[in-house]
Amino acid sequence: MRLTHQDPMRKTALLTLLLLAAAADACTLRLGYTTQNALPYYAGTDTVPKAPGAMVELMREMAASQGCTINPLRLPTARLLGALEAGQVDAVVLTTPPADTGHIVLPLDRNGKPDASRGLPQFTMLYVRASDRAAANQNPARFLRGKRVGVTHGVSFAAELREGGMLIDDGAANARRNMDKLRLGRVDAVAVSLNAPGDMDDLLARDFAGELGRLDRPYRTRALWLMVNRGYYGKHKAAVEGMWTWLGDTGGKRLPGLLKKYEAVR
């Protein structure tokens, strides 16, 4: 076969098409997460800092396990689900699935229920003033019924607390401000969602020594899931399924070390 002067041009065009196709299939996950400065999980507020927090680092490792990258995008907590449904972000990490999951995909078990084994353990912990701790531990449901409980604005588990008969104060931007409210008597308890029951014990010991205490048992134990926009899932199904499996198998083992890293620097 005789080569012509057009062959190099054809090869270049073919290479360009292959590169464009690869770019179109690139697995980049636009991850929406809170603007709250909630160390050790999330650092900073509106921007994504160089050391973004333990949860963002975990999501990077999760994506990398499937040959993907993340593009972190910060939004107010209350806007995360809406942005996911609208396709403004590809994924969020939350505990409570929305009632209507038409635009959202999360891992399901064989019975069609959200699969806790493919998420991260999540504990709703309650904090009270030290003077109330004994009574609150004895019967948390009775103690908290009708009491004012502080939660961070926009958290998904607030509805569960209301169902338990609690009055919800969700005006604070982060858990630290709620702890200040508790110390000053403006709320009767604070509820925080954590990946391990003792994640805030160091903060309590350092900043509220002897004033505040954690109840022994979680109010609720659930899972933290990677929820993905249905359109993104359709394009990257194998990668998303792999991310879910990685979270369940490896994520819970990696997170404690990342949390300690950020506890050491804050």
Side-chain angles (χ1 to χ4, degrees):
M1 178 179 177
R2 188 166 63 88
L3 296 176
T4 69
H5 70 282
Q6 294 180 336
D7 290 323
M9 294 179 62
R10 289 176 180 173
K11 291 178 181 179
T12 300
L14 178 60
L15 178 60
T16 299
L17 289 173
L18 290 173
L19 290 173
L20 289 173
D25 290 335
C27 179
T28 299
L29 186 73
R30 293 176 302 166
L31 178 74
Y33 76 100
T34 181
T35 52
Q36 295 168 15
N37 180 39
L39 282 169
Y41 297 98
Y42 302 111
T45 52
D46 296 326
T47 60
V48 180
K50 186 175 180 180
M55 189 60 72
V56 180
E57 288 202 26
L58 187 74
M59 294 298 103
R60 282 178 178 162
E61 292 186 15
M62 173 202 71
S65 74
Q66 306 303 310
C68 303
T69 58
I70 67 165
N71 178 17
L73 302 169
R74 307 202 73 167
L75 292 167
T77 305
R79 288 179 51 196
L80 288 172
L81 270 179
L84 179 62
E85 292 171 347
Q88 296 166 353
V89 297
D90 301 317
V92 298
V93 182
L94 294 173
T95 57
T96 306
D100 178 9
T101 57
H103 300 288
I104 296 172
V105 184
L106 66 160
L108 303 178
D109 61 21
R110 64 181 64 185
N111 297 315
K113 302 294 184 181
D115 188 355
S117 71
R118 302 180 76 191
L120 293 170
Q122 195 76 2
F123 304 89
T124 301
M125 303 305 301
L126 291 163
Y127 302 84
V128 297
R129 287 179 288 276
S131 57
D132 293 327
R133 188 171 182 273
N137 260 324
Q138 185 174 5
N139 193 326
R142 181 184 300 170
F143 176 82
L144 292 166
R145 192 173 295 117
K147 298 288 181 65
R148 187 167 297 278
V149 178
V151 300
T152 301
H153 180 68
V155 297
S156 58
F157 61 86
E160 299 172 14
L161 302 179
R162 286 192 180 96
E163 290 173 5
M166 304 176 208
L167 304 175
I168 301 304
D169 180 332
D170 62 353
N174 55 55
R176 172 55 197 260
R177 291 185 182 178
N178 274 324
M179 294 298 182
D180 286 331
K181 284 185 178 183
L182 178 59
R183 179 177 59 84
L184 295 171
R186 294 167 57 190
V187 295
D188 303 299
V190 170
V192 183
S193 189
L194 301 171
N195 287 99
D199 276 355
M200 293 193 68
D201 286 359
D202 288 346
L203 180 144
L204 257 66
R206 183 181 67 242
D207 297 345
F208 302 97
E211 294 183 274
L212 308 181
R214 168 170 61 88
L215 299 196
D216 294 334
R217 289 182 295 177
Y219 179 77
R220 220 32 94 72
T221 301
R222 309 202 62 166
L224 189 69
W225 289 291
L226 178 74
M227 301 183 193
V228 181
N229 176 273
R230 189 169 294 278
Y232 185 89
Y233 179 79
K235 294 178 182 178
H236 303 285
K237 180 177 179 179
V240 172
E241 292 282 347
M243 291 180 203
W244 287 336
T245 299
W246 186 92
L247 274 183
D249 292 345
T250 306
K253 300 171 186 174
R254 284 288 301 132
L255 187 56
L258 293 172
L259 292 171
K260 288 181 180 178
K261 167 186 172 181
Y262 281 89
E263 284 284 0
V265 299
R266 74 178 183 174

